[in-house]
Amino acid sequence: MTDLVRHKNWDFALTVITVALLGTLGVQSFIGTLYIWWATTAIPGFETTGYGDFVWWMNAIAAPQVIVLVIVMGLCVPKRLFDRTALVVVSGAMLLVGLAAWVLTASFQTGLAVYLALAALIQAGVVVLTVAGARGPSYLTEGRLVKTGSGLLHLGFIAFAIVVVALQRSAFMLPAFWIATAFTMLGTVMAFYADRLAWRKSMRVKVDRSFGNE
Amino acid sequence: MNPAVVQAEIAQLIQTLGTIGAPIQALLPAAAVLLVALATVPAWRPLLGPAVAASAFVLLIGEIVLAWFHWRLYDLAVVVSPDTGRIVGRVAVPLWVESEKLYVWALTLALMAVVIRRHRQELLPGVAIILAVLMAGASLWGKPFTEPLPSFLGQYFGYLQAMASGDPARMFGAYQGMEGARQFYYNTIYMWVHPPALFFAYGTFAIAFVATLVMVRERHSAYETTSYRWARLGYLPLTAGMLLGFPWAIIAWQGESWWWSGKVNMSIMMWLLYTALLHARLYLRRRSMWKWVAALSILAFLVLLLTYLATYIVPGAHSYL
């Protein structure tokens, strides 16, 4: 198997995992909706007696999925910058540091926040390296814009997760939120509209095709 | 402020809106039937483009009338403190709440339908049918001209009656409710940004959905590209609109059970599915992958519809129940 084929299969596997995780989180949201619908009509006073437990369970189920999603982002976005093995090792180490923070502070929220902060640092590094890796106007090539945009929007997503997990009652909540929003939106625009923003078009033109009997 | 005079002036304004807007409201279901007929009978298709444009024009005229109504209402709907007797502010009711939601969605989609260029002939019948449903719903269910803003006007008239009652406890209670709604709901920047961003996204997703159906019928990737272009256009305001809801919810729904509430869950699910779709389509060229992409696109749109309906079905902080 050539390196190119291996790369493509690895990319595809990461995308499938991402889609599957987004799907399972979606299913969780749907089941949560059905439950809340049933509970508020069937259990008198549910909002005061049962809602707290419901939120706890929903957070507990969502947290591992978000962690895996962030791990996949950590493997996916910088895959052209670093060796795959190094990425897996760094991801594992980050997870261990998060676990250690959880054990040491006896707070899952702190452990998760530490893990997300490390993931944000790595992602910020990826964005910087992507930008710095280019010389002169070549930064504005289509492919480079897509990669930077992708890095930025994933960084924005992680920053938003940090706001939700750790900063809801902090004075830094709003500034962090606006930074997360700016990264997400700027990254999305760069990733989606690289073809229009690009200084120099460098990507292959994809030819439309019939799906026939597939 | 004389509460009786204010109430009488608003009642007069509502009557004028009804007189001007009733013909438009009555025209919408008729236009919806016409659009469905033109979309389903192939021989009549050449007239579909002009009919969609005419529908957009009628909706636009109606929106101008509604904007005028809101502007006049802003002048009249003052909130007065019972302590000082001074005006603390005016209620700026956004143009996309309550009875006007479906109308704005219909208008947005109609304007987008007018500007569709790529695969216009193939997309227009499907888009026209969705537009017809929205127009009929806006007229028969929403009734924005003949029964405008029932929730706001109910609360505001209640406030005026409390202010006229002379009972301090009643006056203060009604004032607190009205001023809270003014500060944290109607007059917030959030309410002026979040709903229109989402309705813009809903319009683009409706077109992306139709393009997906055409892709399934024609089995050609060109339609997926069209679907993607509309979906990515909608994904931006969808993400921005949802993100902006977060700090607002923390402040406005303080003490309320909103995190993981029904509508919030459905909105998250919709966003997740569109995110999954935009990831999955990267591998459209893989064998049979187009079927997964099509399934995700169709599912995401169905969830969008459920998300919209959840506001009226599932109880919670983001509910009209």
Side-chain angles (χ1 to χ4, degrees):
Chain A
M1 198 158 48
T2 65
D3 277 354
L4 184 66
V5 172
R6 262 198 297 272
H7 260 306
K8 282 193 169 179
N9 285 336
W10 174 244
D11 294 355
F12 182 64
L14 291 175
T15 305
V16 168
I17 294 168
T18 305
V19 171
L21 280 166
L22 293 168
T24 54
L25 277 163
V27 169
Q28 184 196 340
S29 302
F30 187 62
I31 292 171
T33 303
L34 293 179
Y35 177 78
I36 208 83
W37 189 6
W38 169 80
T40 43
T41 47
I43 305 171
F46 172 76
E47 287 219 359
T48 46
T49 56
Y51 202 87
D53 282 347
F54 167 71
V55 169
W56 188 91
W57 274 107
M58 288 294 279
N59 284 342
I61 296 166
Q65 296 176 80
V66 172
I67 291 170
V68 179
L69 201 55
V70 173
I71 290 173
V72 175
M73 281 181 207
L75 295 174
C76 188
V77 179
K79 66 200 167 203
R80 301 282 175 264
L81 291 171
F82 302 108
D83 174 59
R84 190 193 306 172
T85 314
L87 286 174
V88 173
V89 169
V90 168
S91 296
M94 279 162 47
L95 206 55
L96 284 175
V97 173
L99 277 170
W102 176 13
V103 172
L104 287 172
T105 61
S107 160
F108 176 74
Q109 198 180 359
T110 306
L112 185 55
V114 167
Y115 170 74
L116 289 171
L118 287 173
L121 271 177
I122 298 280
Q123 206 65 244
V126 167
V127 173
V128 170
L129 283 174
T130 309
V131 175
R135 289 181 189 82
S138 69
Y139 170 64
L140 291 172
T141 57
E142 206 173 326
R144 190 78 65 180
L145 281 172
V146 170
K147 282 174 195 157
T148 310
S150 175
L152 266 179
L153 80 91
H154 287 101
L155 176 60
F157 174 81
I158 295 168
F160 183 70
I162 292 172
V163 171
V164 174
V165 170
L167 300 177
Q168 281 197 46
R169 287 173 189 83
S170 159
F172 296 108
M173 191 277 271
L174 269 183
F177 165 80
W178 284 117
I179 290 169
T181 303
F183 283 169
T184 306
M185 298 319 296
L186 183 64
T188 309
V189 170
M190 285 169 76
F192 282 175
Y193 295 100
D195 54 340
R196 298 196 184 170
L197 298 170
W199 184 281
R200 214 174 56 209
K201 318 284 181 192
S202 65
M203 288 176 102
R204 278 187 300 127
V205 176
K206 289 177 180 169
V207 181
D208 286 321
R209 70 182 179 94
S210 168
F211 299 125
N213 292 321
E214 279 181 32
Chain B
M1 174 185 78
N2 182 335
V5 172
V6 173
Q7 185 158 351
E9 286 191 42
I10 292 178
Q12 177 64 43
L13 178 65
I14 294 168
Q15 201 178 351
T16 311
L17 174 72
T19 309
I20 301 171
I24 296 172
Q25 196 167 291
L27 194 61
L28 294 182
V33 172
L34 179 69
L35 283 179
V36 172
L38 295 176
T40 48
V41 180
W44 296 347
R45 289 265 170 84
L47 296 172
L48 189 56
V52 166
S55 301
F57 181 73
V58 170
L59 286 163
L60 196 59
I61 295 293
E63 189 63 26
I64 291 168
V65 172
L66 286 171
W68 166 82
F69 169 70
H70 279 252
W71 180 250
R72 287 288 299 123
L73 192 62
Y74 175 74
D75 270 345
L76 295 169
V78 292
V79 179
V80 174
S81 164
D83 287 337
T84 61
R86 289 189 178 165
I87 294 174
V88 292
R90 294 169 191 280
V91 188
V93 183
L95 286 96
W96 29 78
V97 293
E98 298 192 41
S99 52
E100 295 159 3
K101 290 169 77 173
L102 275 177
Y103 191 93
V104 169
W105 189 359
L107 172 66
T108 311
L109 182 60
L111 293 175
M112 285 174 181
V114 170
V115 299
I116 292 174
R117 288 291 169 268
R118 191 180 150 98
H119 295 135
R120 180 176 176 78
Q121 295 307 317
E122 295 92 328
L123 297 185
L124 217 47
V127 173
I129 289 170
I130 295 175
L131 177 60
V133 172
L134 292 175
M135 282 165 57
S139 171
L140 303 174
W141 186 26
K143 300 175 184 165
F145 298 99
T146 55
E147 293 175 27
L149 309 171
S151 178
F152 165 72
L153 289 172
Q155 186 183 13
Y156 191 71
F157 286 161
Y159 160 74
L160 289 177
Q161 280 156 18
M163 293 300 279
S165 71
D167 174 0
R170 203 177 147 201
M171 286 165 73
F172 195 70
Y175 165 72
Q176 275 193 318
M178 196 64 244
E179 181 56 6
R182 188 184 78 85
Q183 276 191 31
F184 296 109
Y185 185 66
Y186 296 114
N187 286 40
T188 54
I189 291 175
Y190 163 81
M191 272 310 291
W192 286 82
V193 175
H194 170 85
L198 293 193
F199 283 124
F200 184 88
Y202 287 5
T204 64
F205 290 149
I207 300 173
F209 167 72
V210 173
T212 300
L213 294 182
V214 177
M215 173 184 79
V216 171
R217 188 187 67 197
E218 302 293 331
R219 290 174 166 252
H220 201 281
S221 69
Y223 300 104
E224 196 284 329
T225 305
T226 303
S227 177
Y228 164 65
R229 287 182 183 180
W230 282 100
R232 75 178 176 184
L233 186 63
Y235 188 79
L236 278 165
L238 177 75
T239 307
M242 285 181 62
L243 281 173
L244 290 173
F246 180 74
W248 176 84
I250 285 180
I251 297 163
W253 288 336
Q254 208 165 20
E256 279 192 63
S257 311
W258 68 273
W259 187 243
W260 292 121
S261 67
K263 171 77 175 186
V264 171
N265 282 347
M266 291 303 293
S267 305
I268 291 172
M269 185 181 177
M270 174 178 61
W271 183 85
L272 288 165
L273 282 173
Y274 276 107
T275 308
L277 169 66
L278 292 170
H279 279 83
R281 73 165 301 278
L282 294 170
Y283 292 91
L284 188 75
R285 265 139 223 290
R286 287 209 166 211
R287 189 168 175 77
S288 296
M289 194 64 191
W290 70 274
K291 291 175 186 168
W292 288 96
V293 172
L296 262 175
S297 178
I298 291 166
L299 182 65
F301 187 70
L302 294 178
V303 168
L304 182 157
L305 297 178
L306 286 177
T307 303
Y308 181 81
L309 293 174
T311 316
Y312 302 96
I313 299 170
V314 186
H318 200 306
S319 167
Y320 289 121
L321 288 175

